């Protein structure tokens, strides 16, 4: 289980991983590389905020191996500018969590959204890197890519397997021609003072059949819960997803076939999960992200007193957060798969 802490413009963010197994080799360079994949400096149309994102591992690691104790880590914020947000303390920004946080807690951190900021996801990526380190020796790989930005979308993302190409793309999209169209589109969006959303497709390979639970903790339910906790996520679907509503059962059914010493399905509309339990096929899901709420245009909103005012978003904001979200989606998925794998071993040794 991962617990995170910290705010967007506080001194640091970090996390604690409980229940992590002992004697798992950890490569600090891999952990740093995963965190760096989220850094905005790697992508065009991202915030100009420059954070070093150096991780300090405080506990749970000794001589390169996990000890079984809680793994605690810290990532300091070095480029925070809380003074940039003083003008926002008495107004509610459109589509932000300002109003809801204040109604729930009676107070809110207006410095970049505080706890609701996507800055806190750096701790999720770090936790996911540890989970990936546990899953790799098991032959399980989690990989994601951008399959859509605005109206530009890959047509074969659910069956696409060459996901490593996304690592070398400026927008984390493995389709070069589509990337070129996306870049032109985003340039226009930026010039208009606007923002864009998109979709991340994630594929998990090597998960054995039998992982998951039959009811409240179904594998797809836990994946959905964790992925939907990422800021700006508005949708989640596994396998055929919403397209299944337009299909017939004879078209949608995944026919079982023999493949050597194993049983597989001829198609994978189930997205690797049936009855809440993995069936051994690749687990595939999509995550939809809304356009970034901070835009460089004038908007009307209200202040604490209910007075209508005009507000224009200023500061360091992404035009499109989707490429940076790929390692966050992967991290959430890795944490869920690792948790279910350990749970399955505990109940079915």
């Amino acid at each position: 289980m991962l617990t995170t802490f910290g705010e967007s413009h506080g001194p640091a963010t970090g996390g604690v991983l409980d229940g992590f197994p002992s004697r798992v080799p950890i490569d600090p360079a891999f952990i740093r590389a995963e965190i760096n994949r989220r850094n905005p400096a790697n992508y065009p149309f991202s915030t100009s905020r420059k954070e070093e994102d150096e991780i300090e591992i405080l506990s749970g690691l000794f001589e390169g191996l996990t000890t079984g104790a809680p793994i605690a880590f810290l990532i300091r914020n070095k480029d925070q500018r809380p003074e940039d947000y003083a003008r926002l303390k008495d107004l509610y920004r459109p589509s932000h969590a300002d109003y809801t946080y204040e109604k729930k807690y009676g107070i809110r951190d207006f410095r970049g959204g505080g706890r609701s900021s996507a800055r806190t996801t750096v701790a999720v990526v770090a936790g996911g890197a540890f989970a990936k380190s546990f899953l790799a020796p098991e032959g399980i790989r989690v990989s994601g890519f951008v399959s859509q930005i605005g109206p530009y979308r890959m047509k074969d993302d659910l069956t696409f397997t060459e996901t490593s190409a996304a690592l070398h793309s400026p927008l984390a999209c493995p389709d070069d021609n589509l990337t070129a169209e996306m870049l032109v589109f985003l340039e226009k969006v930026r010039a208009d003072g606007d923002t864009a959303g998109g979709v991340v497709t994630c594929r998990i390979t090597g998960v054995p059949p039998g992982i998951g639970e039959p009811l409240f903790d179904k594998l797809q339910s836990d994946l959905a819960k964790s992925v939907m906790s990422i800021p700006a996520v508005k949708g989640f679907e596994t396998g055929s997803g919403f397209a299944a509503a337009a299909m017939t059962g004879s078209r949608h059914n995944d026919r079982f076939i023999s493949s050597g010493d194993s049983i597989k399905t001829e198609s994978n509309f189930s997205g690797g999960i049936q009855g809440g339990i993995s069936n051994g096929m690749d687990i595939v899901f999509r995550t939809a992200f809304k356009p970034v709420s901070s835009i460089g245009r004038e908007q009307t909103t209200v202040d604490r007193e209910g007075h209508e005012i005009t507000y224009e978003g200023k500061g360091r904001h992404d035009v499109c957060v989707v490429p940076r979200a790929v390692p966050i989606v992967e991290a959430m998925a890795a944490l869920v798969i690792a948790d279910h794998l350990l749970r399955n071993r505990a109940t079915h040794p």
Side-chain angles (χ1 to χ4, degrees), residues 9-206:
H9 289 268
T13 185
V16 178
L17 265 175
D18 285 304
F20 201 91
S22 62
R23 299 191 60 79
V24 175
I26 299 296
D27 180 3
F30 171 73
I31 305 295
R32 289 193 297 270
E34 286 292 287
I35 294 172
N36 188 57
R37 290 177 59 207
R38 180 200 163 280
N39 197 296
N42 296 317
Y43 307 100
F45 306 102
S46 294
T47 173
S48 59
R49 181 172 178 174
K50 293 178 171 55
E51 292 287 359
E52 297 176 5
D53 288 344
E54 285 293 331
I55 185 171
E56 302 172 38
I57 300 174
L58 307 178
S59 66
L61 199 63
F62 182 67
E63 295 183 341
L65 299 174
T66 56
T67 64
I71 300 172
F73 56 87
L74 190 72
I75 301 166
R76 300 186 185 277
N77 295 329
K78 297 184 177 181
D79 190 25
Q80 70 271 45
R81 297 181 189 173
E83 66 277 3
D84 289 353
Y85 296 89
R87 66 190 181 89
L88 306 178
K89 64 185 181 69
D90 292 321
L91 63 84
Y92 301 126
R93 294 171 296 168
S95 286
H96 287 75
D98 301 344
Y99 177 77
T100 52
Y101 264 59
E102 192 164 294
K103 286 301 176 184
K104 179 174 178 63
Y105 298 107
I107 186 174
R108 68 179 171 93
D109 183 347
F110 56 82
R111 303 168 302 169
R115 183 65 176 157
S116 67
S117 169
R119 172 62 188 161
T120 61
T121 60
V122 67
V124 172
V125 175
F130 282 99
K132 286 183 176 182
S133 299
F134 165 67
L135 294 174
E138 305 292 331
I140 298 174
R141 180 172 179 261
V142 183
S143 57
F145 56 94
V146 171
S147 57
Q148 181 177 348
I149 287 180
Y152 299 93
R153 175 180 178 178
M154 290 178 64
K155 296 180 180 179
D156 59 348
D157 63 309
L158 293 179
T159 57
F160 190 81
T161 57
E162 299 300 323
T163 57
S164 60
L167 295 174
H168 308 291
S169 164
L171 295 178
C173 175
D175 185 319
D176 291 340
N177 293 330
L178 191 62
T179 296
E181 292 180 310
M182 290 174 174
L183 287 168
V184 172
F185 168 71
L186 289 176
E187 192 61 62
K188 183 179 184 302
V189 170
R190 177 165 59 185
D192 290 341
D194 219 333
T195 59
V199 174
V200 172
T201 300
C202 187
R203 177 176 294 271
I204 311 171
T205 60

